[in-house]
Amino acid sequence: MSSPAPGRRFVGQIALVTAASRGIGLAVARRLMAEGARVVITARRPDGLAAAVEALGGGPDVVSVAGAADSPEHQEEAVGTAVREFGGLDVLVNNAGINPAYGPLSELEESAARKIMEVNVLAALGWTRRALAAGLGRNAGAAVVNMASVAGLAPSPGIAYYGVSKSALIGLTVHLAAELAPRVRVNAIAPAVVKTRFSAALYEQDEARAAAAYPLGRLGDPADIGAAAAFLASSDAAWITGQTLVVDGGAGLRTRL
């Protein structure tokens, strides 16, 4: 899809985007860079990150750090890289998320449940704490954006515990927003199905049928979420904190009609 040319809302700012080698994270990083930010991107695989850096144009305004999102050592390294390479940190986008378990909650393995919470919720808290320790909020305009999901707002058969984790992430967003105001704004985005490898199982067999559930007639594109994240991280959202922005192509309308 095409989108209007972005403004320059992030000139002079430094952002860190987790899980940004592809999909939504890469789209967020691309949008922030297009608007003037210098960006640190993270993901597990160095080769995927190398491809992402190339896709973002390379150059001096983007660096990558490979590691597991729920590793405290990786978090320290990535945040430290932002400070060392760019001089600080103004925007944190907690995009990392996993869903290794499908099926009813009554059959969920507890080890999978713990891992989902560690990556989808506790890691977001860890990234935020380390960003704060490194100076996030020292300058005006600091923001955290957490990537939640519509699965955290309503029952989602088959991916119920993923939804539980996203509900928890929304709760974390609210409480962090209350604690960190007015220095740092904290908001979340709750996308519906976006065309990424992560969600491919939800649409790849019959995309037209999946898209028919949306009043706007299509599935989400990563750029849609990149634009939403850029808005919440920008000065245009300067009086917004503790909120969850639902980006769902109008799907929620059908539950209210």
Side-chain angles (χ1 to χ4, degrees), residues 21-221:
S21 62
R22 54 186 167 88
I24 288 174
L26 180 58
V28 171
R30 178 177 286 117
R31 182 60 183 258
L32 295 176
M33 287 187 68
E35 296 208 34
R38 290 173 289 173
V39 177
V40 176
I41 60 173
T42 79
R44 290 186 66 94
R45 295 171 57 92
D47 54 345
L49 280 173
V53 168
E54 183 177 354
L56 293 170
D61 292 333
V62 56
V63 297
S64 65
V65 182
D70 58 335
S71 163
E73 293 78 16
H74 170 58
Q75 295 168 11
E76 290 280 3
E77 181 185 8
V79 170
T81 297
V83 174
R84 183 178 63 254
E85 296 292 328
F86 297 140
L89 189 59
D90 302 289
V91 173
L92 171 65
V93 181
N94 286 312
N95 176 62
I98 61 169
N99 184 37
Y102 296 86
L105 292 174
S106 60
E107 299 176 5
L108 178 68
E109 293 186 8
E110 290 187 9
S111 60
R114 290 190 183 94
K115 188 62 176 179
I116 290 171
M117 279 293 178
E118 286 171 2
V119 176
N120 295 5
V121 184
L122 294 178
L125 176 59
W127 282 105
T128 303
R129 292 175 63 178
R130 287 170 177 82
L132 291 167
L136 182 71
R138 197 171 294 158
N139 299 325
V144 175
V145 179
N146 294 324
M147 203 60 62
S149 169
V150 294
L153 300 171
S156 299
I159 57 170
Y161 202 76
Y162 174 77
V164 170
S165 74
K166 293 302 185 176
S167 295
L169 183 59
I170 290 169
L172 179 67
T173 298
V174 170
H175 288 282
L176 282 174
E179 287 189 12
L180 301 183
R183 294 184 302 128
V184 181
R185 294 181 303 103
V186 186
N187 292 290
I189 299 172
V193 177
V194 178
K195 291 177 63 176
T196 65
R197 189 186 306 176
F198 182 81
S199 61
L202 300 176
Y203 68 85
E204 61 184 354
Q205 290 188 343
D206 192 342
E207 183 178 332
R209 181 177 180 181
Y214 295 84
L216 291 184
R218 65 174 176 86
L219 301 178
D221 185 271

